[in-house]
Amino acid sequence: MAKLEHSTRTVLELLSDFSPSTSSFFPLSSSIRSLAISTSSDSQTLIYAGTTSGGVLLLSVNFDTRTVSFLRHASVSESAVDYLLVIDHAGHVVVFSGGFLFLVDSLFLGPVRKIGGLKGISVIARRVRSGASECSDLVVRDDGGGSSSSEFLSARRMLLKLGGGGGGGGIRSNGWKAKESELRSNDGNSVFSIVIGRRLILVELVFGSRSGRNDGHGDGNGGSFVILKEIQCVDGVKTMVWLDDSIVVGSLSGYILYSCVTGQGSLIFSLPDPSSPPRLKLLMEEYKMLLLVDNVGISVNARGQPVGGSLVFHRAPDSVGEIASCIAVVKNGKMELYHKRSGNRIQLVSFAEEGVGPCVVTDQDGRGQLIVVATPSKVICYRKVSSEEQIKYLLRKKNFKEAITLVEELQSEGEMTKEMLSFVHAQVGFLLLFDLRFEEAVNHFLLSETMQPSEIFPFIMRDPNRWTLLVPRNRYWGLHPPPVPLETVVDDGLMAIQRDIFLKKAGVETAVDDDFLLNPPNRADLLESGIKNIIRYLHISREKHLDPSVKEGVDTLLMYLYRALNCVEDMEKLASSENSCVVEELETLLNDSGHLRTLAFLYASKGMSSKALAIWRILARNYSSGHWKDPKGEMDSQHSSTNVISGKEIAAIEASKILEKSSDQDLVLQHLGWIADIDQALAVRVLTTERTDQLSPDEVIAAIDPKKVEILQRYLQWLIENQDSEDTQFHTAYALLLARSAIQTFDTENSSQNFEAETFGGTDMSAVSKTSLFQSLIRERLQIFLQSSDLYDPEDVLDLIEGSELWLEKAILYKKLGQETLVLQIFALKLEDSEAAEQYCAEIGRPDAYMQLLEMYLDPNNGKEPMFRAAVRLLHNHGESLDPLQVLERLSPDMPLELASDTILRMLRARLHHHRQGQIVHNLSRAMEIDASLGRLEERSRHVQINEESLCDSCHARLGTKLFAMYPDDTIVCYKCFRRLGESKSITGRDFKQDPMFKAGWMVTR
């Protein structure tokens, strides 16, 4: 019995065998020389075995009963049967024996017929068409019009010559006569190439009968050759194949390609000397030719060009077969299967003992499921194992890479769908998972497009649970146990490893991984690895389009796994992002494990703001120490090593984020206080966030702690500047708050400066500069608001700052109240800002304002010295607006003459100049008025002569003695038309009120 050995996978399995010695038609001295297979129907497969004694055995294969039975025997000749060719479409078998060709029906029901005309044949090959468009048609048929071509007639004459004459206008060969119409018929004909000596003859085998009926296996069936072409070839041809238009022959010297169209031959390559006999195999699966050189097989296409890599066999084969993607070679009782693409040997089958003699193999043109091997005394049938069973075999042997490679090859060849590839990836993943190779398992899960994330759920949470019904019941060929929690998988796997280690030490071969033997894993590491890789799978699965219920399971169980590894950062990241976690499943778990921050994030993401804020409030109250490193703060702080935020601040920040999105006023005001106690800026941000339903300002102001001045101040600022509030109470309150802050800042600065001066005799310039900057910002905001707003009560603000040193603010308020004198006193005397004082006088717009300012400079009162330089500046800039006499009257006798002399002199000269300029302008204006009056008088004094021929420019009536009117554009109309047109619009359509008219004589010329 044949046995399988040394297989990386099982491609062929033994079907049955048959010993011809049990038949009386098989002499003891005879042996099997050739094989052929014919599939006459789906249920019956026939095997033809040619013997050295000249007979052919007909065997039948039954796949259901897995048996091979003997049917019939045909005696052909006394020489060995070297070649058998089954012509299924004609129901015949061509037998090559002793240099002659014989023809017998496929079931051996009729006699064996010798095809005459050709003898001394050494090699025969049938033409195979690949379907290529460039393949020529050597057999020329009737053109449909009743006439035959010259080539066909020539072939007919050759047939007559070879087959003998005969009457009736037919062609006779080997004693059989066929009509010409039958010969021209395209049904049942085959084309062969035959080598006789140095002649390569291309012939057509035509089947026919006396009655014209072709039933496939009757006594009256016969065949005739039509010679199509003859080509000179090399001597000593041993093997030959014919593909499309290329005929490749093999001799002891090498392989030569002949064209059946041109007859030209070209050497493909020569054989070394010595070498094994040449051998050719036509690969029907890919329409290539395999040329053997000793133990090397080279694939070439129809043009003789090498394609793909070479196949290296262990020894030179006796015979070559093809099945699917494999090449089968037989030698010394062994059959080896090599993969066509990779060249790897994937199976070795031993079917006989060494030295059994020449073996032969045949196939079903590479596309069938059966391959037959014969020793001299036995026929063995092998059946191709289904692709699914091959994959299962590899998976049972834990050859996972080979299994995936096989599936990918089958998919590329169109024998397996993409869904099946995904199925196998998932199956491999589960096998690796139970083999404790978690990373590889998840890699295969991710490569499967059909696997559902819910199939992982039973490994995380015990059944039954919320998602039990979502787990698909995929059988996966039953190669792995049913899913159990990951802890159980690890425990069972460790027990199996321990058992295998014990067996291996006892000398029993096991499938345990050598890595596990060298580095035995511990339970904790395996659990951690398993959880991490399942997390990786679920994390990637979140990006897929999943059903809502599956999404809930993925996110919830992902949180379970994060908690198992105490991945706090990942837990919080998942909880704070958009997720589908089921709060009811995680609430108790997170609360009991102390992951309150994660629970707060989860509440917030689900819109449960009240519960989230309650947790943050508890955390803020309980945080006494402990800090959290904010990565964002590190990125923003380029010059600082760390940015540490306390736990209280984190709680306040997260709570403020929730409140910023909430429009629940009661909830905001409830938690505003404790947030403000931690960080007032956060409280301000909560209050000033834009909402669809804004908070009530009155209730917010009432809820703010009066001691938290900054919050109230910034909230009022937001109401006024961003919300454009025009409420006078808010404006006044904001002004008062700014004023108080400015007073406090001013007093604090003065006291700190005085203290440092008394203590150290100097000041810290950096501290002073910071204080001054803060004070300037506060006062700047106060000044801008006091100037820009008109809705606050200036008297209330003035009452507050009356006793302070905020003189500029007082000046703004007095200006609002219209107290010009006080404003000038502040600018001129308190602030000594001459430019501001002069600008305010310009705003007043009266000359007496400058005079009042001058008096203040000259007589400051309160024991202050006169400000002569300021007075001189005022006279210099605005002296032309002052009365020189009044200025001289108010000048103090104590004022140095050298300070004012130049200014007063310039002022007097300017006054005189302005007076004379006024006189010139007055006289010029009067002259222009006189000229204009004279021009008008001249225009009105113009005479117009009207006679009997004068016509109205509007109605064209004769004017005669009628009244008429004349327009500035010299058009004349009658009085009636004048009343109709009006005084300002003439007949030309010009409106003199909107478009005045000027004449040169009207312009002033004097």
Side-chain angles (χ1 to χ4, degrees), residues 117-135:
L118 296 174
K119 61 181 179 179
I121 300 172
S122 59
V123 182
I124 181 173
R126 183 181 178 183
R127 185 184 192 186
V128 175
R129 291 173 178 264
S130 65
S133 59
E134 62 270 13
C135 184

mmCIF file of all heavy atoms in Angstrom, residues 117-135:
data_model
loop_
_atom_site.group_PDB
_atom_site.id
_atom_site.type_symbol
_atom_site.label_atom_id
_atom_site.label_comp_id
_atom_site.label_asym_id
_atom_site.label_seq_id
_atom_site.Cartn_x
_atom_site.Cartn_y
_atom_site.Cartn_z
ATOM 1 N N GLY A 117 -0.909 4.224 -44.038
ATOM 2 C CA GLY A 117 -0.339 5.360 -44.755
ATOM 3 C C GLY A 117 0.922 5.888 -44.136
ATOM 4 O O GLY A 117 1.751 6.469 -44.822
ATOM 5 N N LEU A 118 1.108 5.761 -42.800
ATOM 6 C CA LEU A 118 2.286 6.273 -42.118
ATOM 7 C C LEU A 118 2.891 5.154 -41.294
ATOM 8 O O LEU A 118 2.190 4.480 -40.524
ATOM 9 C CB LEU A 118 1.915 7.455 -41.213
ATOM 10 C CG LEU A 118 1.381 8.697 -41.921
ATOM 11 C CD1 LEU A 118 0.930 9.711 -40.896
ATOM 12 C CD2 LEU A 118 2.431 9.291 -42.840
ATOM 13 N N LYS A 119 4.185 4.958 -41.413
ATOM 14 C CA LYS A 119 4.871 3.939 -40.638
ATOM 15 C C LYS A 119 6.242 4.451 -40.235
ATOM 16 O O LYS A 119 6.753 5.425 -40.794
ATOM 17 C CB LYS A 119 4.981 2.650 -41.425
ATOM 18 C CG LYS A 119 5.778 2.764 -42.726
ATOM 19 C CD LYS A 119 5.820 1.432 -43.467
ATOM 20 C CE LYS A 119 6.610 1.574 -44.776
ATOM 21 N NZ LYS A 119 6.690 0.267 -45.498
ATOM 22 N N GLY A 120 6.808 3.792 -39.278
ATOM 23 C CA GLY A 120 8.118 4.217 -38.774
ATOM 24 C C GLY A 120 8.032 5.470 -37.907
ATOM 25 O O GLY A 120 9.000 6.230 -37.796
ATOM 26 N N ILE A 121 6.887 5.652 -37.292
ATOM 27 C CA ILE A 121 6.703 6.842 -36.436
ATOM 28 C C ILE A 121 7.516 6.645 -35.159
ATOM 29 O O ILE A 121 7.498 5.575 -34.552
ATOM 30 C CB ILE A 121 5.211 7.028 -36.122
ATOM 31 C CG1 ILE A 121 4.408 7.218 -37.418
ATOM 32 C CG2 ILE A 121 5.004 8.198 -35.190
ATOM 33 C CD1 ILE A 121 2.907 7.222 -37.214
ATOM 34 N N SER A 122 8.198 7.719 -34.779
ATOM 35 C CA SER A 122 8.979 7.663 -33.533
ATOM 36 C C SER A 122 8.329 8.452 -32.400
ATOM 37 O O SER A 122 8.386 8.055 -31.238
ATOM 38 C CB SER A 122 10.403 8.179 -33.768
ATOM 39 O OG SER A 122 10.359 9.520 -34.240
ATOM 40 N N VAL A 123 7.694 9.576 -32.731
ATOM 41 C CA VAL A 123 7.060 10.429 -31.702
ATOM 42 C C VAL A 123 5.793 11.015 -32.296
ATOM 43 O O VAL A 123 5.746 11.330 -33.501
ATOM 44 C CB VAL A 123 7.992 11.579 -31.225
ATOM 45 C CG1 VAL A 123 7.305 12.389 -30.140
ATOM 46 C CG2 VAL A 123 9.312 11.036 -30.732
ATOM 47 N N ILE A 124 4.756 11.180 -31.480
ATOM 48 C CA ILE A 124 3.520 11.828 -31.896
ATOM 49 C C ILE A 124 3.093 12.800 -30.797
ATOM 50 O O ILE A 124 3.303 12.541 -29.605
ATOM 51 C CB ILE A 124 2.403 10.800 -32.180
ATOM 52 C CG1 ILE A 124 1.121 11.522 -32.650
ATOM 53 C CG2 ILE A 124 2.125 9.941 -30.961
ATOM 54 C CD1 ILE A 124 0.039 10.565 -33.115
ATOM 55 N N ALA A 125 2.521 13.929 -31.217
ATOM 56 C CA ALA A 125 2.013 14.923 -30.255
ATOM 57 C C ALA A 125 0.774 15.572 -30.841
ATOM 58 O O ALA A 125 0.686 15.794 -32.050
ATOM 59 C CB ALA A 125 3.062 15.986 -29.934
ATOM 60 N N ARG A 126 -0.159 15.854 -29.988
ATOM 61 C CA ARG A 126 -1.402 16.497 -30.414
ATOM 62 C C ARG A 126 -1.282 18.005 -30.226
ATOM 63 O O ARG A 126 -0.682 18.478 -29.258
ATOM 64 C CB ARG A 126 -2.560 15.967 -29.592
ATOM 65 C CG ARG A 126 -3.919 16.530 -30.009
ATOM 66 C CD ARG A 126 -5.004 15.964 -29.114
ATOM 67 N NE ARG A 126 -6.303 16.511 -29.446
ATOM 68 C CZ ARG A 126 -7.426 16.248 -28.786
ATOM 69 N NH1 ARG A 126 -7.360 15.429 -27.740
ATOM 70 N NH2 ARG A 126 -8.559 16.775 -29.151
ATOM 71 N N ARG A 127 -1.863 18.754 -31.155
ATOM 72 C CA ARG A 127 -1.815 20.221 -31.053
ATOM 73 C C ARG A 127 -2.791 20.704 -29.979
ATOM 74 O O ARG A 127 -3.934 20.225 -29.889
ATOM 75 C CB ARG A 127 -2.182 20.857 -32.379
ATOM 76 C CG ARG A 127 -2.034 22.386 -32.364
ATOM 77 C CD ARG A 127 -2.497 23.009 -33.650
ATOM 78 N NE ARG A 127 -2.104 24.409 -33.730
ATOM 79 C CZ ARG A 127 -2.477 25.229 -34.693
ATOM 80 N NH1 ARG A 127 -3.261 24.802 -35.677
ATOM 81 N NH2 ARG A 127 -2.069 26.481 -34.704
ATOM 82 N N VAL A 128 -2.321 21.637 -29.178
ATOM 83 C CA VAL A 128 -3.135 22.250 -28.127
ATOM 84 C C VAL A 128 -3.201 23.745 -28.393
ATOM 85 O O VAL A 128 -2.166 24.397 -28.600
ATOM 86 C CB VAL A 128 -2.551 21.985 -26.726
ATOM 87 C CG1 VAL A 128 -3.333 22.731 -25.670
ATOM 88 C CG2 VAL A 128 -2.549 20.491 -26.434
ATOM 89 N N ARG A 129 -4.410 24.250 -28.406
ATOM 90 C CA ARG A 129 -4.608 25.695 -28.595
ATOM 91 C C ARG A 129 -4.849 26.371 -27.235
ATOM 92 O O ARG A 129 -5.654 25.890 -26.436
ATOM 93 C CB ARG A 129 -5.810 25.961 -29.505
ATOM 94 C CG ARG A 129 -5.604 25.541 -30.951
ATOM 95 C CD ARG A 129 -6.907 25.694 -31.723
ATOM 96 N NE ARG A 129 -6.748 25.358 -33.134
ATOM 97 C CZ ARG A 129 -6.535 26.256 -34.088
ATOM 98 N NH1 ARG A 129 -6.458 27.539 -33.766
ATOM 99 N NH2 ARG A 129 -6.399 25.892 -35.343
ATOM 100 N N SER A 130 -4.144 27.448 -27.037
ATOM 101 C CA SER A 130 -4.318 28.199 -25.785
ATOM 102 C C SER A 130 -5.419 29.236 -25.870
ATOM 103 O O SER A 130 -5.738 29.892 -24.878
ATOM 104 C CB SER A 130 -3.005 28.895 -25.405
ATOM 105 O OG SER A 130 -2.668 29.883 -26.377
ATOM 106 N N GLY A 131 -5.977 29.408 -27.060
ATOM 107 C CA GLY A 131 -6.998 30.437 -27.233
ATOM 108 C C GLY A 131 -6.426 31.763 -27.653
ATOM 109 O O GLY A 131 -7.147 32.765 -27.736
ATOM 110 N N ALA A 132 -5.105 31.816 -27.913
ATOM 111 C CA ALA A 132 -4.487 33.075 -28.335
ATOM 112 C C ALA A 132 -4.990 33.451 -29.726
ATOM 113 O O ALA A 132 -5.184 32.601 -30.602
ATOM 114 C CB ALA A 132 -2.971 32.944 -28.331
ATOM 115 N N SER A 133 -5.188 34.740 -29.915
ATOM 116 C CA SER A 133 -5.750 35.224 -31.184
ATOM 117 C C SER A 133 -4.785 35.009 -32.347
ATOM 118 O O SER A 133 -5.207 34.850 -33.496
ATOM 119 C CB SER A 133 -6.104 36.707 -31.062
ATOM 120 O OG SER A 133 -4.947 37.458 -30.731
ATOM 121 N N GLU A 134 -3.459 34.980 -32.055
ATOM 122 C CA GLU A 134 -2.500 34.861 -33.141
ATOM 123 C C GLU A 134 -2.296 33.417 -33.593
ATOM 124 O O GLU A 134 -1.504 33.130 -34.474
ATOM 125 C CB GLU A 134 -1.156 35.457 -32.726
ATOM 126 C CG GLU A 134 -0.486 34.769 -31.544
ATOM 127 C CD GLU A 134 -0.887 35.377 -30.216
ATOM 128 O OE1 GLU A 134 -1.863 36.164 -30.220
ATOM 129 O OE2 GLU A 134 -0.222 35.098 -29.199
ATOM 130 N N CYS A 135 -2.998 32.497 -32.959
ATOM 131 C CA CYS A 135 -2.847 31.087 -33.335
ATOM 132 C C CYS A 135 -3.483 30.858 -34.710
ATOM 133 O O CYS A 135 -4.655 31.169 -34.934
ATOM 134 C CB CYS A 135 -3.519 30.209 -32.279
ATOM 135 S SG CYS A 135 -3.299 28.448 -32.586
#
